[in-house]
């Protein structure tokens, strides 16, 4: 029996997600310059011709992933306000989400956008939507509450939040080559940097 329009759309959406997932892995490993559409289609398990029905170029695919990374990062950070628990528990959960495998792949993609001269200007332009000030504003209430209840370290909140993201970024950058002997620290250990000394 032939598929109806709704089933066909669902199939197209699934295929698109399959391509995006494969592209994320390839771009994270190889960078924009080192990645080829043939590598992405092979990772996705589909033909290049089929892939071009969904994305007209490697740049379009890359930009789509950057848009998704920024949107996911902002939405994920905003979720901290709906998470149950104390400010420290919320910050711990957010850190776990950032450091999970998919979070690492998106970090590597965004790291390329910030550091490479070879990425499309449109991708670089999207960074204005993900400024450090935005993340500071989103996390400020959590840090304020954590300082007030004695859980989180004292000090300038903007500086603490910037330090938090610097530590996360440094860990992710060290983890890029999957260096033998290096492992990301447990999140509980990492959170000790930001807790108030008793």
């Amino acid at each position: 029996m032939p598929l109806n329009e709704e089933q066909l759309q669902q199939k197209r959406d699934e295929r698109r997600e399959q391509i995006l997932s494969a592209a994320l892995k390839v771009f994270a490993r190889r960078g924009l310059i080192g990645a080829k559409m043939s590598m992405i289609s092979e990772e996705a398990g589909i033909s290049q011709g089929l892939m071009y029905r969904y994305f007209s170029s490697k740049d379009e695919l890359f930009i789509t992933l950057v848009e998704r990374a920024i949107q996911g990062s902002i939405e994920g950070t905003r979720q901290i306000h709906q998470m149950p628990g104390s400010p420290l528990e919320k910050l711990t959960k957010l850190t776990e989400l950032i450091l999970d495998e998919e979070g690492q792949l998106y970090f590597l993609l965004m790291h390329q956008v910030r550091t490479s001269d070879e990425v499309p200007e449109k991708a670089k332009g999207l960074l204005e939507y993900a400024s450090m000030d935005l993340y500071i504003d989103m996390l400020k209430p959590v840090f304020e509450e954590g300082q007030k209840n004695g859980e989180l370290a004292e000090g300038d909140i903007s500086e603490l939040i910037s330090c938090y993201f610097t530590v996360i970024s440094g860990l992710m950058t060290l983890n890029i080559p999957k260096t033998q002997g290096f492992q990301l620290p447990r999140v509980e250990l990492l959170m000790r940097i930001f807790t108030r000394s008793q």
Side-chain angles (χ1 to χ4, degrees), residues 102-164:
E102 185 176 18
Q104 289 181 40
L105 293 174
Y106 276 114
F107 171 83
L108 295 174
L109 181 83
M110 294 307 296
H111 182 68
Q112 291 171 38
V113 175
R114 286 188 176 87
T115 60
S116 174
D117 293 333
E118 306 300 324
V119 300
E121 281 305 312
K122 183 174 180 181
K124 286 209 178 275
L126 292 170
L127 289 177
E128 72 183 55
Y129 298 105
S131 70
M132 181 55 72
D133 289 339
L134 174 67
Y135 291 96
I136 288 171
D137 289 345
M138 286 190 288
L139 291 182
K140 203 174 243 182
V142 174
F143 273 77
E144 286 172 344
E145 183 184 344
Q147 284 181 335
K148 190 184 281 187
N149 75 13
E151 273 189 317
L152 297 179
E154 295 176 328
D156 180 79
I157 290 176
S158 295
E159 186 177 11
L160 286 169
I161 296 169
S162 292
C163 180
Y164 169 78

Side-chain angles (χ1 to χ4, degrees), residues 7 21 27 30 48 55 61 73 77-78 82 93 98 128 157 168 171 182:
Q7 291 169 320
S21 177
F27 286 136
R30 307 291 305 248
Q48 265 187 273
F55 297 96
L61 193 46
S73 173
T77 304
R78 280 192 179 129
Q82 281 72 51
K93 182 64 177 162
I98 292 171
E128 72 183 55
I157 290 176
I168 297 293
L171 289 171
F182 176 79

Side-chain angles (χ1 to χ4, degrees), residues 2-196:
L3 300 176
N4 64 34
E5 188 55 40
E6 185 178 316
Q7 291 169 320
L8 286 170
Q9 186 59 47
Q10 181 180 351
K11 196 87 164 140
R12 285 190 288 267
D13 292 345
E14 289 170 2
R15 183 72 69 202
R16 182 177 164 82
E17 287 304 313
Q18 182 182 355
I19 293 167
L20 287 167
S21 177
L24 178 60
K25 291 174 187 170
V26 173
F27 286 136
R29 279 194 312 260
R30 307 291 305 248
L32 179 65
I33 300 302
K36 299 197 178 343
M37 290 296 264
S38 60
M39 294 173 181
I40 296 167
S41 65
E42 184 178 323
E43 179 76 31
I46 62 171
S47 71
Q48 265 187 273
L50 180 58
M51 193 167 65
Y52 278 108
R53 287 185 177 176
Y54 292 87
F55 297 96
S56 63
S57 69
K58 184 170 69 166
D59 284 0
E60 180 189 357
L61 193 46
F62 188 83
I63 289 166
T64 301
L65 285 168
V66 171
E67 289 169 341
R68 180 179 276 199
I70 290 171
Q71 181 182 359
S73 173
I74 291 169
E75 288 172 5
T77 304
R78 280 192 179 129
Q79 282 180 5
I80 196 168
H81 302 290
Q82 281 72 51
M83 292 176 184
S86 70
L88 180 59
E89 291 167 338
K90 290 177 179 186
L91 193 59
T92 299
K93 182 64 177 162
L94 177 65
T95 306
E96 289 169 350
L97 293 171
I98 292 171
L99 294 177
D100 77 2
E101 188 174 338
E102 185 176 18
Q104 289 181 40
L105 293 174
Y106 276 114
F107 171 83
L108 295 174
L109 181 83
M110 294 307 296
H111 182 68
Q112 291 171 38
V113 175
R114 286 188 176 87
T115 60
S116 174
D117 293 333
E118 306 300 324
V119 300
E121 281 305 312
K122 183 174 180 181
K124 286 209 178 275
L126 292 170
L127 289 177
E128 72 183 55
Y129 298 105
S131 70
M132 181 55 72
D133 289 339
L134 174 67
Y135 291 96
I136 288 171
D137 289 345
M138 286 190 288
L139 291 182
K140 203 174 243 182
V142 174
F143 273 77
E144 286 172 344
E145 183 184 344
Q147 284 181 335
K148 190 184 281 187
N149 75 13
E151 273 189 317
L152 297 179
E154 295 176 328
D156 180 79
I157 290 176
S158 295
E159 186 177 11
L160 286 169
I161 296 169
S162 292
C163 180
Y164 169 78
F165 283 113
T166 299
V167 168
I168 297 293
S169 295
L171 289 171
M172 296 279 226
T173 304
L174 282 172
N175 201 38
I176 288 172
K178 301 291 183 203
T179 307
Q180 194 171 20
F182 176 79
Q183 65 180 36
L184 289 173
R186 290 184 337 273
V187 173
E188 296 77 26
L189 180 62
L190 181 60
M191 289 297 96
R192 289 184 196 170
I193 298 170
F194 303 100
T195 56
R196 186 174 294 176

